[in-house]
Amino acid sequence: FFGVARAAARGGSQSKTGVAASGVFAVSLRLAVEWKGYAANPLVERSIIVTGGAGEFNFGSPFQGQYALVVSEMGNAANTLAPSSGYTVTFIHDMMIAATSTIEHRTSYTQGRITYHIQGRDKYGNKVNSRDPARVIATTAFQLSPASTVEQNVDGKYQVSFQANTAGVSVTASAAVGGIAIGAGANVPVHTLNDPAGFADLAVQGPFLPVTEGAVRFNVASPWAVTPIVGVVAAAQSTVQLANAAGTYSAGDVTFTITSFTVDGLRVTSGGGAITVDAGAGTSFTTLVQDREDGTYLVTVKLVPVGTYQLTVNINGGRVGDKTWGIIVTPGKLSSKSTATWNVPALSYAAGARGFIILRAIDAFGNLISTPAVNDTELVTMQWRGAESYVRGVDYTVTHQTGTPNGFMNISFTAPKAATIYDATIVVNNAATAQSPFVVTVKAGAPDSANSQEVIGKSTFEAGLVRFALVIRDSYNNLVPGLAGTLLAQSSSNSTSDRANGVERTGTTGVGIYDFDFVRTNIAEALITKAGVYIVAVGYTTPGTTVAVLLKNYNIVVTPGTPAAQTTWGPLDQVIAVGSLYSFKIYARDRFGSLITVHNATDAFSLRFDGQPGAVLNYAVTSDGGGVFTASFLPNVDGDIKVTLQVYGQDVISTALQPNPTSVRAKLLPANLGLYFKLSGSGLQGGVAGADLQFEIQQTESFLKTSANNPAFKILITPAAGACPPMLVAGVCTAAPNNGTALVVNYTSFVTTSQVWIVRVNGTALRRANAYVLSVQAYDAKTSEYLSVAASPVNFAISTAVANVNLSSVSPPPSLTNLAGARIVMPITLLDRYGNAVTPGPGELAVQVISSPDGLITSAVVAVDALTRVATATATLYRSSVTNKVVALLGGVRMAGSETFTLITEAARPHLPASRISGTGSTSGVAGEKDTLTIFLYDEYGNEIIKNPSLRVTLSFRVLRPAFATTDNDGGYVAPAGAIADVSPDFGNGRYELEYVLNVADTYGLYVSIFDNTVLPPIFHVEKFLAVVVTPGPVDPTATEITTLDGSTTSTITLAAGVSGALKLVLKDKVLNKVSNPAASVIDVRLELEDGSNVGSTILGTRRRNLLL
C-alpha cells in the first residue's frame, strides 16, 4: 500500500517498484485514474474516476509484472498531469508456499547422482526469485527423502540431489515444507484484482498439471519415483555447447556447457566428471567448472589476450567430441582502463579556450579496442571539479577520431571560464579512468580592454623615472598575470632608458616615442627627461606576433628634475701627466639617476683637490649640452691628488665605476709614445705549424687616453728564411708570410677594462715551419711617425706539426744493387700536413729491411741531419743469397714507398782467408796428364763469388829448389824453365777452373793472383798454394831407353859369343820423366832376336831395383 504525493501530481514523474501482489496503490486526488497491465496480463485493464474532495483508489494484482498508471484531470482526459507513459508500477511475487510450488525432473536418469528442481511459487502461482530472502523458503526448511542436498538458485528454483547408484532399482523421492508436500495445492483460482466488490472476475492460476516437454517433466507434485539406468560417461559422445555459437567472445570469461553422454548416446544425468581445458601451448588461463550434478557442466575460461585459441575439452581424461573448438577472443567493452593524451602536455589552458584529448579505447583487460561500437562515445563523460565543488556546464563532445571507429576517440572541450586549478575526471562506462583526476590549470585568457581597469597611480611625475601599474583582466573577468614581455606602453618623447645596463640610448621606435619597460608583471616604467604632457598608450602583443593590441590611453604630466648626488662622472685615470690639462665628463642626474638633458648650468658642480701645495693650478667646468659637462684641471706637481666632486655642496655618491673622492697619480711621463705599450702574449713562445697564435699589446701607462683605434698600430710578421721549400703542400706558399714576404696583421679585439689589444694570428698564415720576427709600432700623431713598443721586435719560431704518414715516404738508395757489407743509405722524406720537414721523435720512425724468402728483419739506423733536417735510414746487408724489401713505419703505420723497391746484395771483394782451392793444402798429379784446379772465391761474409767480370784471376807455377831459397821466394820456389806460368783460368760450372798439364815430375808451388779491373792500376792479391806434386806417369816402352852401364847410348852393342854382357834400362814415362818406382805391371824385360841361330825371345833378366840386365 502506498500513495502518490501531490508533488507528483503537479507534473513530476516517478516509478514504483517492489509492491507486493497483495498490496494497493493509493491516490488521494480529484483526478481521473486509469491503470492497466501490459500484454502479459491482458485481463488487468480497468479505469476509475476518483470524485469528491478526496479519494482513495486501491488496486492490486495476483499476477507479477509491470503496470502503467495514467492520471488525468477530471473531466478532461486529454489533460494528463503525469507523463503520457504514466507511472510505472511493478508487482513482484508474494510469499512462497509449498502447496503451489512444483517439482521439475528429468524423464530418465542414469545411475549416480539424481538431481531435480523445486520451482518456488506464491499463493497465486507466481514464480518466486531469491532477490528478497524474506519471501522465499530457507533451504533448511525442506523435508527431503531420501537424504538429499539442496541449493537455492538465483532464479528462485531449488536444486535437490541424492544418490541412486544401482541401475534398475526404483527410488521414491519426496519433498515437503512443514509437512505440506510440494505441489499439494496446485491449480488455485485467483481474482484478477484484489477488490472483489468492484471486480468479480476470477481466473485460474495455472494449470500446474504435470507436463512432459522433451526430456523434462514440469509441475510434478511430491512424491515421485525414479528408476536409474546404466550410464558411464563416454568423452567422444559427449558434447560442448558454446555460449556463442560462432565461437567469438569478448576478452574475459568464455563460457560453454558440457553435456555428458554414454557410449550408446544416452544422456548422463549425474555429475562428478573431471573436467580440464587446454587452450594451446604457451597459454595461461583460469578455468572454473560448475558441476550441475545432472550430467552437465558449466565451464568458464578466462581468456584475456586478444587472439585465436584452439580449445581442447576433456572429461575424465578423454577429449569431448574428439575434436577441438576454435575460439576468437576480441576486445571487451570500453572500460576505465582507457588512457587519455591531452593536446597540451602541461595541462594548461586559457579560460574558455578549446582543447582536445585523444582517448585510447582499452577494455578492462588492457586490450586495445580497435573497432569500438559507434555508440561507445556515449559511454565517455567528462567532469570538472574546482577547489570546492563540481563545475557544471563545461562543454565537451566525444567523437571517434576519424569519424569511424578506429580505437581512438577525440574529446573536444571548452576550458572553464574561471582561472584556477581543476581536477578533470574522464569517466568511461561509469568509472573514472586510472589516470583521473588530471590536474588542469586554467589561466586567464587574452587581456580584454573592456574588463581592464584604469591605470593605478599618480598622473604627475618629476622628470626621471615614471612608473605606473595596471589591473588587466580577460573577457571572463579573470586577472591576467604574467604579462611581462608581452605588455608594452608608449608615450611621446625621443629617448628612453635601457633598464638592462642603465645607460642612455636614443629611441629606435620613432621620433617622439618613449618605450616603457615592464619591470614586473603589470608595473611599467620609463625614463622621461623632457617636461611636458604625454599620452601613454598601453597594449600587449600576442605570442608569435608583433602587432600591438591597444588596451588603454593614459595622460601623464612630467615636470623637470634637478641635479642630485646620483650624478655620475669619470671614470678618472689612475695616472695623469704633470703639465698637461686633464679633463673628464660629468653626467647630471636627478635623484632617480636619470640624466637631466635640460640642465646646462655649471654652478651646480664644484671640485675639491687635496695634495701637495700647488698640486693643481686651476680647474673649470663647462657644459657640453644635454646634461653632460666637461671638468678639467692642470696637475702641476708629481704626486698623489685626491679629487672630490660635489653637487650643490653635496658629495656625489660613490659607485663601483667611480669612487668619490678618488685618487690620481700625477707623473712626469716619457715622450716616446711607443714606451707606453709593451708587447707580450703566449705567441712569443712560438707554436706549431697551423696553430693560432695570440699576442697582446698592453698599455703600461693608464693616464694615456686610448681607444680601440687610438693610437694606430703597425704590426708585421716577417719570416727569417726566404722562398718556400719545394716540398710544402699546394696553397701554403700562396700568401705572406709563408711565401717569404712580410705579413701585415691587425689587432683582433680591444679590452677596454685592461687596455689590452689582442692580436690573434690565424694558423693558416703560420703553416710554414720557420723562424719569424714580430714587430709592433705605435703611431704618434704629434710627430707623424711609428715608434716601436717595448719588447718589439721579437723573434719566435714555428715548429713543425706532427709528421703526416700520407705525405711522408721512403725512397730507394742510389743503387739497388750493393756489395755485401756496404752501407746502404735510403732517403726518408718526413713531412707534416703542410709539407714541413719533420725531425722524428724517439721511436716515432722505424725502417726495416725484410729478407726473402726467410723473412729475416734487419733494422736500419735512422739519422737526421742537424742542418738540413733530412732524414736517412742506413742499413748494411751481408747475404747475397736473398732479396730484400724496405718497410718504413711512422707511428706504426706504413709510409709511402714501403715495399716498392728490391735491394740486391752481391758478394763483396774476394777474401782470401775465406776462399779455397780444390785440394786445399796439397794436391798431386801425373806428369803429362791433364789436371783441373777449381778456385772457390768467397768474400769475408761467406758469400761465394760465382762470377764477377770485374775480377781477373791468374795462376803461376814455380818449382821447388831449396838450394835457391831466399826470403822472397817462400823457401826456394823459382820459376823453372818449361813450367806453366801466368795462366788465366776460365769459368767452368760456375767456378774459376784451370786445366793444366805438367810434363816434368817435380814439386811445385801454385800462386793465385786476383786483380780488380775496376781500378787503375789493377789491385791484386796473391796467395801461395804449396806442394803441387807432379809424379812420373806409367812406364812408356817407346820412351824407355837402353844404355850401357856407363849410360851411353848406341845403336849397336857387340858381345863376344859366350860372354855375358850388361845393359842398363832407363824407364821413362811418355813425357820422358824417369820412372823410379814403376808400377807393378812392369814384370820383366825380354830380348827379341831377329836374326841368327838364337831367333826368338830370351829373358834377359828380371826386375831389379836398378833395372840392370
Side-chain angles (χ1 to χ4, degrees), residues 235-307:
Q237 278 70 34
S238 300
T239 62
V240 169
Q241 182 177 0
L242 300 175
N244 186 330
T248 301
Y249 291 84
S250 296
D253 291 342
V254 174
T255 59
F256 54 87
T257 300
I258 301 173
T259 304
S260 55
F261 289 88
T262 66
V263 70
D264 298 324
L266 296 177
R267 171 80 158 75
V268 176
T269 60
S270 60
I275 306 298
T276 60
V277 179
D278 183 6
T283 59
S284 177
F285 52 86
T286 302
T287 303
L288 178 66
V289 179
Q290 179 185 352
D291 188 346
R292 292 173 173 169
E293 298 186 353
D294 62 352
T296 64
Y297 304 85
L298 180 63
V299 181
T300 302
V301 180
K302 187 176 291 296
L303 295 179
V304 173
V306 172

Side-chain angles (χ1 to χ4, degrees), residues 658-716:
Q658 181 59 70
N660 189 35
T662 187
S663 293
V664 296
R665 170 72 174 177
K667 290 179 61 178
L668 293 172
L669 299 173
N672 187 338
L673 179 65
L675 299 180
Y676 289 84
F677 306 93
K678 181 179 180 180
L679 179 59
S680 61
S682 59
L684 299 181
Q685 308 303 319
V688 178
D692 296 350
L693 291 186
Q694 178 171 312
F695 304 95
E696 298 174 2
I697 305 172
Q698 173 70 62
Q699 181 175 334
T700 56
E701 295 293 348
S702 62
F703 92 96
L704 187 65
K705 297 297 183 182
T706 58
S707 62
N709 296 308
N710 182 23
F713 292 101
K714 181 189 293 185
I715 307 171
L716 295 178

Side-chain angles (χ1 to χ4, degrees), residues 22 57 83 112 261 353 359 387 423 438 466 498 593 628 632 715 794 811 829 834 887 905 1035 1040-1041 1066:
S22 59
F57 176 61
F261 289 88
L359 186 69
D423 285 342
F438 296 90
V466 176
D498 184 347
V628 181
S632 59
I715 307 171
V794 66
S811 301
T829 302
Y834 306 113
V887 176
T905 302
V1035 176
T1040 299
E1041 295 179 349
V1066 180

Side-chain angles (χ1 to χ4, degrees), residues 131-157:
R131 295 185 182 92
D132 187 354
R135 296 177 181 271
V136 295
I137 297 173
T139 57
T140 56
F142 288 95
Q143 294 95 44
L144 303 170
S145 178
S148 306
T149 59
V150 59
E151 296 179 0
Q152 185 176 7
N153 294 343
V154 176
D155 58 0
K157 286 186 179 181

Side-chain angles (χ1 to χ4, degrees), residues 557-748:
V557 177
V558 178
T559 60
T562 57
Q566 283 73 21
T567 293
T568 57
W569 59 305
L572 275 64
D573 294 300
Q574 294 181 354
V575 179
I576 61 178
V578 173
S580 297
L581 190 65
Y582 182 77
S583 61
F584 57 90
K585 298 296 183 182
I586 300 175
Y587 302 91
R589 299 185 183 277
D590 63 12
R591 59 192 179 87
F592 298 106
S594 303
L595 182 67
I596 309 174
T597 59
V598 297
H599 185 86
N600 296 316
T602 61
D603 58 356
F605 310 104
S606 60
L607 290 171
R608 186 175 71 245
F609 301 95
D610 296 317
Q612 301 179 37
V616 176
L617 293 181
N618 54 52
Y619 81 90
V621 178
T622 59
S623 175
D624 298 343
V628 181
F629 299 81
T630 297
S632 59
F633 64 93
L634 182 63
N636 190 47
V637 178
D638 189 310
D640 292 332
I641 304 172
K642 183 164 66 176
V643 183
T644 304
L645 174 63
Q646 292 182 325
V647 177
Y648 292 122
Q650 181 183 4
D651 287 356
V652 169
I653 298 173
S654 291
T655 64
L657 185 63
Q658 181 59 70
N660 189 35
T662 187
S663 293
V664 296
R665 170 72 174 177
K667 290 179 61 178
L668 293 172
L669 299 173
N672 187 338
L673 179 65
L675 299 180
Y676 289 84
F677 306 93
K678 181 179 180 180
L679 179 59
S680 61
S682 59
L684 299 181
Q685 308 303 319
V688 178
D692 296 350
L693 291 186
Q694 178 171 312
F695 304 95
E696 298 174 2
I697 305 172
Q698 173 70 62
Q699 181 175 334
T700 56
E701 295 293 348
S702 62
F703 92 96
L704 187 65
K705 297 297 183 182
T706 58
S707 62
N709 296 308
N710 182 23
F713 292 101
K714 181 189 293 185
I715 307 171
L716 295 178
I717 296 179
T718 306
C724 280
M727 65 276 193
L728 292 183
V729 299
V732 171
C733 288
T734 57
N738 295 325
N739 60 4
T741 62
L743 173 67
V744 178
V745 182
N746 294 320
Y747 75 91
T748 307

